[in-house]
Amino acid sequence: MSARIQNMGRFLNKNAPVTFTFNGQSLGGYRGDTLASALLANDRMLLGRSFKYHRPRGLVASGAEEPNALVNMGQGAGFEPNQRSTTTELFDGLTATSQNHWPSLNFDVGVVNNYAARFLPAGFYYKTFMFPRVAWKHLFEPVVRHSAGLGKPPKERDADRYEHFYFFTDVLVVGGGIAGLQAALAAASSGAKVLLIEQTAHWGGRAPVDGAEIGGKPAEDWVAETLVTLQGMENVTIRNRTMGAGVYDHGYALGYERITDHAPDTDAPRHRLWRIRAKQIITATGAIERSLSFAGNDIPGVMLASAVRDYLVNWGVAVGQRTVVVTNNDDAYRTAIALKQAGLEVPAIIDARPLVDGNLPNQARALGIEVREGRAIAKVKGGKRVTGVDICLQDGDGGAREEIKCDCVAMSGGWSPVVHLWSHCGGKLNWVEDQAHFAPDPNRPPTGADGQGFVLTAGIASGAMDTPEVLKDAHAAGKSAAKAAGYTPKRAGPPKARPTDEALMAPVWIMPAKATPDLKAKMWLDFQNDVKVSDVQLAAREGYESVEHTKRYTTLGMATDQGKLSNINGLAVLSDALGQPIPQTGTTTFRPPYTPISMGAIAGEARGDIFQPLRRTPMHDWHVEQGAYMEPVGQWRRPYCYPRGGETHAQAVAREVNNTRNNIGLLDASTLGKIIVKGPDAGRFLDMLYTNMMSSLKPGRCRYGLMCNENGFLMDDGVVARIDGDTFLCHTTSGGAEHIHAWMEEWLQTEWWDWKVYVANVTEQFAQVAVVGPNARKLLEKLGGMDVSKEALTFMGWADGTIGGFDARVCRISFSGELSYEIAVPASQGRAFWDALHAAGAEFGAMAYGTEALHIMRAEKGFIMIGDETDGTVIPQDLGLHWAISKKKEDFLGKRAQQRSHMTDPNRWKLVGLETLDGSVLPDGAYALAEGENANGQRNMQGRVTSTYHSPTLERGIALGLVLHGPDRMGEVIEFGLIDGTTVPAKIVDPVFYDKEGEKQNV
Amino acid sequence: MLILTCPYCGVSAEETELHAGGEAHLTRHATGASDDDLQSYLFYRKNPKGVHFERWRHSNGCGKWFHAARCTMTLEVFGTYSAQTTQPPADLIKKIKQKRPDWEGWT
């Protein structure tokens, strides 16, 4: 059993007991515990079920590398799945539940997968795709879907607050172990600005646990003193609970600070994302111990030797009462010694090396611990908890076993430097034969804007394994970073430390070396994704030679721990199966973040109302006051319709259309893009941008124009007004002002930079109102101030003047087919003008209308809408807009592309009107069916619906669409497919449904 | 996240201030262009592992387009310069050739 030990636990505050709940049961711990240590102290070994086989799983590690002990944290709006219990600090009232099991942790139905393991081999998912389709649909998909995914997504909106924080520094040091502290000290003593971050709540890393001595003192004392020194330096910023999540181009790095995870009642943001720019980055990220691959290495109670030691020293927890240590290196002896000294039993140390005679092994022997040289674990016994191990010769096949009873196995396969941050931005690695690990190659660092390296490593992260080396390496890194950042480091050297003289480790990738297949099928490499030695070997036999392919095929290292424990072991097994050295196999790519970070931290403050800027027209508040139903149009909000009383949206829209067609409608058109194009070459410039001729436009007149991109596709449309000889006002679509303005700037700056033209986006400088309907002129004449008569202001003309005392620019243009004036006034006058129009217009039936009425009226007239009739693949010729394409101009943007063979193909679908025979409304995007099927067995198509509405004017469904040879097929009836598999017949008609002669606007 | 110095306003701008505009120094093939030239202009782009000339716009800053010479592999920036030119400045080409003797040149 696992239990608390009195008088141990350097992180615990025994005066601060804490109560928490796991799977509904109330348990006790102390402040300073992690959820993992507190669960162990309560003899909770079984913490979850594995992903694929639902095998019982317990803790393996004590830190960020933990693959198994993921839990659901919190409830309701604070619920979060997949939280790592080893990095979750305990607080009073913490609520956690285990995950990935059904119906309960102790009794799980999915464990049948375990017995069917030979039917779930490497590449299982891919292999299921090769069965007949029916098997996938009815057999595999339901099973895979049920068992896929770890944890459950939260159902409620996240109640917590998050923020981003920008930080610029000379040197960033990631990792607060002795290497990070020494590197920070060496860099900071030069005067450089230093940021030091540590992912846990504690400083000093492993050195205090391992009993290191620095400067003649215990490491713990040296850490405390150094921390005080650093805190006293004005040029140093220090943050614990802040993980270095990623290193990116040109010295950019992300820090992930967990501010209140351990104290949720604090009034502060939960997480803070540090967006750091550093001239130099030092990664003092330490190393992670590797597991050993022996049969049953996933049974709860089998743990990393370093973790067993951590739980004992840091949290005063004995993982077991009888612990067998199994190792291929000297470091694991520290665990055996610590356990023995704490009064716990260590029946044997199983060492795979044939001869063991170092300082640490001899210390262990002196304590009376039996060291079994050249031995291996053949098999771990037990189900939900270790009960014993069978040992055998390492250099054998697992035969001739001998049993040792125990309730804990502490394993160590050696240490791998944490090279993630070094590698994120392109730092390269060397294989170090002595230690059987990959370490950063200082000659191939990630490079910055100046072509020089900007990342250094310090301590064990560099591959320095012994304390004096660690400090020396870290000191040198700190000095180098300061120098590269432009400072002069002090001459002082690193502190002295006691060497430990560890003997060499011996690589052990499979235990025992010649294990039989039944043993290999129980040797776990990736605990979280349930990948075994046999899976990787099978992948190699099936031809997966690239480590990246094997990773994806077997899912090795693809779980939320990203293979922190499994990757080196996995690629060693792969290399062995392929008969090639490990460096030739290489590693998979290290990608940020180092451990998962919350979505909330990534979003920061950008959520809810401040997710993006909200643009409001001067009349916005009026719309809201009237109860308008608003819809987003780019960053604008526009009224879709203004429901009155108990009106539905459809009823409101119909009323607005009918009133506009019969009386007068007022539209807030302020969002329409307005761009001034000015200069001696303005006409020449617009002739290049628009498909039609703009330079011939007379001052005082308006012209509708089309803009295409260089591929010939229609991108925007709008009315251009010529203000004077040098000045044009270009109207763009509501969502298009910014990108059309940028489009103009791009051509002026990068292609025709010698043309004398300026452009200015004045969209927000003006409020614009469309006054539309048979009574429009009466209203303007009542307000008075300028002549808006048929004779004075003809169709497609504009004039400046005053209306009701407001300075106004009046364009007589129409997007509805009615008599219509679009009137721009200074934005500051917009609301007053709008109110004046309503007040004066009451007697003529003036009523606001929204965007849906606008759309319906334009569709009734067959006017196209960018984004409905166009989708980036439509050219003006498809829409019957030949009249707006100049034949005289030698060149305009898109002209040459429109001459390409596919663009002139007579079989391109063309714009027509569509009327269902039964008057119903066609579904948006519905396709017109043609005879036969294509090569994929899908029905052939001959057209599609681009806009579709119920027309209140015509009291029937109308639609615009693109149809094969459409304009030549007037009157023909074609069938449109519905989602339910039926079809609806519709007649091809002229796209202008209403007032074909244009009599209504011509009054 | 690159940092590039805008040659117009002199600001060392974070990539979030900038808008990438693809390969620099394209020739616009339009009126009377052959299908091959048009295809090359519209669709074919260099994708070198090494020295590359790119268009950038200081979109959340002064709004100006400029050119940058950059190594796509090491992220070294050799320089930024005006967009109002049809070829990289001679001194920049010389600088790159000194740093990268094997470089085949910009065309």
Side-chain angles (χ1 to χ4, degrees), chain A residues 207-498:
Chain A
V209 181
D210 292 353
E213 273 181 24
I214 303 171
K217 287 175 286 226
E220 192 150 16
D221 295 350
W222 180 85
V223 167
E225 284 169 23
T226 308
L227 203 56
V228 169
T229 308
L230 287 168
Q231 280 162 341
M233 299 173 85
E234 280 186 357
N235 54 332
V236 178
T237 305
I238 293 176
R239 282 287 187 285
N240 62 352
R241 300 191 175 96
T242 304
M243 176 185 72
V247 169
Y248 307 82
D249 308 349
H250 291 185
Y252 185 68
L254 283 184
Y256 174 62
E257 183 177 10
R258 298 168 65 190
I259 307 170
T260 66
D261 275 350
H262 65 294
D265 294 333
T266 317
D267 182 27
R270 180 169 172 235
H271 297 152
R272 179 181 289 141
L273 194 71
W274 288 59
R275 305 181 64 168
I276 303 160
R277 275 285 181 191
K279 288 183 188 154
Q280 293 283 306
I281 295 172
I282 298 174
T283 67
T285 43
I288 289 177
E289 194 169 31
R290 293 192 293 261
S291 52
L292 282 167
S293 300
F294 46 82
N297 63 348
D298 70 324
I299 292 171
V302 181
M303 206 181 275
L304 293 176
S306 59
V308 172
R309 191 153 86 240
D310 284 343
Y311 287 118
L312 181 70
V313 178
N314 290 336
W315 292 289
V317 175
V319 176
Q321 301 304 310
R322 269 175 74 83
T323 302
V324 168
V325 175
V326 55
T327 183
N328 64 348
N329 64 78
D330 275 7
D331 180 67
Y333 285 79
R334 292 194 173 96
T335 300
I337 293 165
L339 290 169
K340 192 78 180 175
Q341 286 174 340
L344 296 158
E345 284 182 75
V346 182
I349 298 172
I350 316 297
D351 198 320
R353 295 173 295 182
L355 196 66
V356 181
D357 192 28
N359 279 350
L360 284 161
N362 288 335
Q363 274 183 52
R365 285 184 178 118
L367 286 167
I369 304 172
E370 187 185 7
V371 177
R372 305 292 300 268
E373 294 163 320
R375 291 296 193 280
I377 288 182
K379 192 183 175 198
V380 178
K381 294 187 165 173
K384 290 172 191 166
R385 175 89 206 208
V386 172
T387 58
V389 292
D390 279 353
I391 66 165
C392 62
L393 285 173
Q394 166 61 17
D395 192 27
D397 64 1
R401 301 177 191 178
E402 171 191 342
E403 186 179 353
I404 301 176
K405 293 276 181 202
C406 63
D407 62 350
C408 173
V409 177
M411 62 180 165
S412 177
W415 290 81
S416 300
V418 174
V419 297
H420 299 64
L421 295 175
W422 167 267
S423 303
H424 283 166
C425 201
K428 298 291 184 287
L429 304 173
N430 286 331
W431 177 252
V432 181
E433 202 70 52
D434 275 2
Q435 298 290 345
H437 65 208
F438 282 101
D441 180 349
N443 296 317
R444 293 181 294 164
T447 50
D450 57 0
Q452 305 298 309
F454 69 89
V455 181
L456 297 157
T457 58
I460 297 188
S462 306
M465 300 305 285
D466 205 6
T467 314
E469 279 177 71
V470 164
L471 291 166
K472 204 174 132 196
D473 182 68
H475 188 75
K479 282 171 73 167
S480 298
K483 205 172 162 204
Y487 295 82
T488 311
K490 291 232 171 97
R491 301 186 119 225
K496 297 266 181 287
R498 194 184 65 185

Side-chain angles (χ1 to χ4, degrees), chain A residues 670-791:
Chain A
S670 306
T671 60
L672 208 67
K674 304 165 212 65
I675 298 172
I676 297 285
V677 178
K678 189 176 178 70
D681 291 317
R684 182 188 180 196
F685 177 57
L686 293 185
D687 279 349
M688 287 302 298
L689 255 64
Y690 286 93
T691 60
N692 38 1
M693 191 77 88
M694 287 299 172
S695 55
S696 61
L697 187 62
K698 300 268 181 300
R701 302 299 300 166
C702 300
R703 185 170 288 165
Y704 173 73
L706 305 172
M707 274 191 209
C708 295
N709 59 25
E710 276 285 64
N711 290 305
F713 297 122
L714 195 49
M715 62 186 278
D716 207 77
D717 68 345
V719 170
V720 177
R722 188 162 201 166
I723 308 302
D724 58 38
D726 275 0
T727 314
F728 294 81
L729 170 61
C730 301
H731 290 106
T732 75
T733 55
S734 278
E738 279 66 38
H739 85 91
I740 296 300
H741 178 237
W743 176 244
M744 291 175 169
E745 280 288 348
E746 181 175 349
W747 286 101
L748 285 172
Q749 288 183 36
T750 67
E751 188 70 21
W752 304 309
W753 60 78
D754 52 336
W755 294 13
K756 295 186 174 76
V757 186
Y758 282 114
V759 297
N761 183 0
V762 296
T763 302
E764 294 188 348
Q765 272 62 45
F766 296 94
Q768 193 144 317
V769 182
V771 181
V772 182
N775 295 339
R777 188 175 287 132
K778 285 183 214 162
L779 169 55
L780 299 187
E781 283 172 346
K782 179 182 172 189
L783 284 167
M786 62 186 285
D787 189 351
V788 294
S789 66
K790 184 182 180 183
E791 296 73 26

Side-chain angles (χ1 to χ4, degrees), chain A residues 168 248-252 275 277 425 446-452 688 710-711 741-742 745-753 890-897 899-901, chain B residues 1-4 8 14-16 26-35 38 41-43 55 57 63-67 70 73-78 83-86 99:
Chain A
F168 296 81
Y248 307 82
D249 308 349
H250 291 185
Y252 185 68
R275 305 181 64 168
R277 275 285 181 191
C425 201
T447 50
D450 57 0
Q452 305 298 309
M688 287 302 298
E710 276 285 64
N711 290 305
H741 178 237
E745 280 288 348
E746 181 175 349
W747 286 101
L748 285 172
Q749 288 183 36
T750 67
E751 188 70 21
W752 304 309
W753 60 78
E890 194 187 325
D891 191 9
F892 57 81
L893 298 182
K895 180 182 169 92
R896 175 62 185 86
Q899 295 161 351
R900 296 171 67 211
S901 57
Chain B
M1 256 252 286
L2 303 174
I3 296 181
L4 298 174
Y8 289 92
E14 301 261 330
E15 198 173 323
T16 47
L26 294 179
T27 302
R28 179 169 183 260
H29 290 284
T31 312
S34 69
D35 279 353
L38 183 71
Y41 164 52
L42 290 179
F43 307 120
R55 301 182 334 136
R57 186 181 182 221
K64 294 295 186 192
W65 283 91
F66 62 89
H67 290 158
R70 185 172 75 91
M73 191 172 60
T74 67
L75 306 184
E76 181 170 2
V77 178
F78 303 105
Q84 279 126 44
T85 176
T86 53
K99 290 195 163 194

Side-chain angles (χ1 to χ4, degrees), chain A residues 932-950:
Chain A
E933 293 181 344
N934 67 14
N936 293 326
Q938 298 159 324
R939 187 70 184 266
N940 283 326
M941 303 295 172
Q942 58 172 330
R944 64 185 167 90
V945 172
T946 55
S947 291
T948 176
Y949 302 98
H950 174 77

Side-chain angles (χ1 to χ4, degrees), chain A residues 600-621:
Chain A
I602 295 168
E605 298 89 343
R607 55 191 289 198
D609 287 345
I610 53 170
F611 175 65
Q612 63 172 12
L614 179 66
R615 301 175 74 182
R616 297 176 173 85
T617 73
M619 293 80 113
H620 183 94
D621 290 348

